[in-house]
Amino acid sequence: MSIQKLKWGILGCASIAKRSVIPGIRLSEHNEVKAIASRSLETAQATAAELQIPVAYGSYEEMLDDSDLDVIYIPLPNHLHKEWSIRAARAGKHVLCEKPIALNSVEAAEMAQVARKENVIMAEAFMYRYHPRYKLIKQMIADGEIGEIRHIRGGFTFNNGASNDNVRYVKEWGGGSLYDVGCYPISAARYILEREPIATTVQAMFSEKHGGVDMMASGLLEFSDDVALAFDCGMWAAPRSPLEIIGTDGIIELPNAFLSHTEEGSYFYVRKGDDVKEIKTPYYNSYALQADAMARTIRGEEVQQFPLEDAVANMKVLEACLQAAETGTRIVMN
């Protein structure tokens, strides 16, 4: 007997939704896209026609009133995440919200509180974590494959500097490279080490041409046991997304750590001296895996892999990193 698929509504017509998340939901086993909303009915109808989505709404409120929908995906600018995630939860909908979950940890904690009160699942959309290679890497580390972890290096950069009209360039809306892409290596280090950093130092390039946001940042996150993450992130640099986990006996290298992969599959390397082993995994669409993981949690088939408390913790780190960059000081975290 087949299980009825969860019905998703897409709250906004952002490019990430059209390019990645909607196709991913359609590739998943347990979900389907039923509706899309925009503040403009014409925009919603045009997007619905383009992507063959059955229902288009000319307001967000109208879509939240649709009793047929189970899950709402929110790809809105960062400053709207809290408001519409909470409104969706209070409408009885489960929520997948784009990263970063909010503008700060206080907002994120309020979102988590509302989700608990309304008894809905709310998740932050870090799709890369659902790819099975990360569980494999964590198991290899636990098995002592590279010895004790001594250091992690990670980066995520792309070049959008020619644009001067972008929501990422509005400081009050949570713009800047730390919030947009720095959140990836930061979340990865926390996931791999399974603990929170204790201090951070960050140097950043704030660009007046781009609304005064950090267009490039380089930082150090200090963890206990004298382990650190050295990371960089940028929106005005050549594109790349590497992650390197350095142990006493070997190194795990991911050349493309945070992006979804082509049908050729994905790979990473384990390097021990002159011996380099390539480990390849089959193709998986991380957006589809993310949607199916959420469906299983909603149905009570598994515990939520990354509860919203993780998103709150990640926001605390991002806040500290931005404060360190703006003040030029080392920020100690509680």
Side-chain angles (χ1 to χ4, degrees), residues 20 73 81 87 101 150 155 160 167 183 246 259 276 311:
S20 301
Y73 166 63
H81 287 180
R87 292 179 72 161
I101 195 72
R150 287 287 180 260
N160 198 37
V167 295
C183 54
I246 303 164
L259 297 174
V276 180

Side-chain angles (χ1 to χ4, degrees), residues 236-290:
W236 205 357
R240 43 186 272 290
S241 60
L243 186 69
E244 191 176 54
I245 307 162
I246 303 164
T248 52
D249 303 325
I251 301 170
I252 295 174
E253 300 174 353
L254 290 82
N256 191 359
F258 307 119
L259 297 174
S260 198
H261 303 282
T262 67
E263 292 186 8
E264 295 177 359
S266 65
Y267 60 92
F268 61 93
Y269 300 105
V270 177
R271 188 182 301 275
K272 293 185 177 182
D274 294 331
D275 180 40
V276 180
K277 179 168 60 176
E278 180 181 278
I279 298 177
K280 194 164 186 177
T281 58
Y283 169 71
Y284 295 96
N285 184 293
S286 296
Y287 297 97
L289 296 177
Q290 177 177 249

Side-chain angles (χ1 to χ4, degrees), residues 128-283:
Y128 80 92
R129 300 185 294 192
Y130 296 91
H131 196 286
R133 64 183 177 156
Y134 277 92
K135 285 186 177 178
L136 175 59
I137 286 168
K138 288 194 71 172
Q139 188 60 55
M140 292 171 67
I141 292 170
D143 292 342
E145 181 74 20
I146 61 170
E148 295 182 31
I149 296 178
R150 287 287 180 260
H151 188 65
I152 299 176
R153 283 203 294 259
F156 200 163
T157 55
F158 67 97
N159 192 342
N160 198 37
S163 169
N164 55 16
D165 182 20
N166 192 298
V167 295
R168 297 179 178 91
Y169 303 157
V170 183
K171 199 175 185 68
E172 296 77 17
W173 291 5
S177 66
L178 279 164
Y179 272 36
D180 194 57
V181 283
C183 54
Y184 283 89
I186 288 171
S187 70
R190 295 176 49 255
Y191 176 49
I192 290 163
L193 294 172
E194 298 182 346
R195 56 186 185 271
E196 301 301 326
I198 56 177
T200 185
T201 308
V202 179
Q203 189 275 338
M205 179 186 71
F206 294 96
S207 170
E208 291 307 316
K209 179 182 175 182
H210 302 91
V213 302
D214 56 294
M215 289 296 287
M216 186 79 198
S218 303
L220 185 74
L221 277 188
E222 303 171 32
F223 290 83
S224 58
D225 300 326
D226 298 320
V227 176
L229 164 72
F231 73 91
D232 63 79
C233 54
M235 303 188 295
W236 205 357
R240 43 186 272 290
S241 60
L243 186 69
E244 191 176 54
I245 307 162
I246 303 164
T248 52
D249 303 325
I251 301 170
I252 295 174
E253 300 174 353
L254 290 82
N256 191 359
F258 307 119
L259 297 174
S260 198
H261 303 282
T262 67
E263 292 186 8
E264 295 177 359
S266 65
Y267 60 92
F268 61 93
Y269 300 105
V270 177
R271 188 182 301 275
K272 293 185 177 182
D274 294 331
D275 180 40
V276 180
K277 179 168 60 176
E278 180 181 278
I279 298 177
K280 194 164 186 177
T281 58
Y283 169 71

Side-chain angles (χ1 to χ4, degrees), residues 10-13 36-45 57-62 76-77 79-81 83-84 87:
I10 312 301
L11 200 143
C13 300
I36 191 163
S38 171
R39 293 189 187 277
S40 159
L41 180 58
E42 292 77 14
T43 300
Q45 288 174 334
Y57 289 116
S59 75
Y60 302 155
E61 294 89 347
E62 196 176 2
L76 300 175
H79 69 299
L80 298 175
H81 287 180
E83 175 187 354
W84 288 103
R87 292 179 72 161

Side-chain angles (χ1 to χ4, degrees), residues 56-89:
Y57 289 116
S59 75
Y60 302 155
E61 294 89 347
E62 196 176 2
M63 191 171 77
L64 295 185
D65 287 338
D66 186 341
S67 60
D68 195 40
L69 298 178
D70 304 301
V71 191
I72 302 296
Y73 166 63
I74 299 177
L76 300 175
N78 298 340
H79 69 299
L80 298 175
H81 287 180
K82 172 194 166 186
E83 175 187 354
W84 288 103
S85 292
I86 286 177
R87 292 179 72 161

